[in-house]
Amino acid sequence: MKVCWMSTHGEVEEETINKVEKSLGMCKSESRGTPIPGAFYLHEYGEGVINRLLSFNEDSPIYILKMWESLNTIHEQPKELIPFANDPFGNVYCFDYRQKETPSLVTYDHEERDVEPLCCTFSDLMAGIVKEDGDF
């Protein structure tokens, strides 16, 4: 199934990517976007929704480094949780580098201040995207 990303900020300058890479020790080249469709179903997790990819734009309220720093300081989560997207309810999807070099994915529930396993890989998450008619 093809997933389209709407409302993106366009291409990200190499300098901006390098700044984020240096801070987080990772490499991503997309900046802020909304998947259409954004709903997913994972057997182990259940249903969920991706609202937006986090942004590389420093002025954005969902700037990736701002979200990462908030997780570390305000929410006292480990630095190995690297946020990449949010849901419509204020929760954050993260790559979890705590246990291995290849990260699993987790969700951080901001109300419960709890980290829950989501799936093993980003590919697993994309495979769980629900078609617009509600099928997989």
Side-chain angles (χ1 to χ4, degrees), residues 44-61:
E44 305 82 18
Y45 179 80
E47 298 176 352
V49 178
I50 298 172
N51 186 44
R52 294 194 185 280
L53 288 178
L54 300 183
S55 178
F56 280 80
N57 179 338
E58 291 183 25
D59 297 326
S60 172

Side-chain angles (χ1 to χ4, degrees), residues 1-123:
M1 166 177 194
K2 183 178 179 181
V3 175
C4 298
W5 294 91
M6 307 297 291
S7 303
T8 64
H9 281 171
E11 290 190 32
V12 179
E13 292 182 20
E14 192 71 27
E15 182 179 322
T16 302
I17 293 172
N18 290 338
K19 178 180 176 180
V20 172
E21 284 178 346
K22 184 176 179 181
S23 296
L24 301 179
M26 63 182 289
C27 176
K28 297 290 169 207
S29 61
E30 297 296 324
S31 180
R32 186 181 171 254
T34 301
I36 304 295
F40 62 84
Y41 179 82
L42 300 169
H43 179 69
E44 305 82 18
Y45 179 80
E47 298 176 352
V49 178
I50 298 172
N51 186 44
R52 294 194 185 280
L53 288 178
L54 300 183
S55 178
F56 280 80
N57 179 338
E58 291 183 25
D59 297 326
S60 172
I62 58 170
Y63 177 46
I64 191 168
L65 287 181
K66 213 183 297 181
M67 298 293 284
W68 179 72
E69 289 169 358
S70 174
L71 274 176
N72 295 167
T73 56
I74 297 168
H75 298 276
E76 301 175 346
Q77 294 301 311
K79 292 184 179 194
E80 295 85 6
L81 293 184
I82 309 296
F84 67 88
N86 65 3
D87 72 11
F89 314 107
N91 302 312
V92 183
Y93 298 110
C94 302
F95 293 104
D96 184 355
Y97 284 92
R98 291 178 292 180
Q99 300 298 318
K100 51 190 169 187
E101 212 170 284
T102 303
S104 60
L105 275 65
V106 297
T107 182
Y108 175 72
D109 183 319
H110 76 285
E111 291 176 350
E112 299 292 324
R113 292 185 170 245
D114 189 32
V115 175
E116 296 180 26
L118 184 61
C119 57
C120 292
T121 66
F122 191 77
S123 295

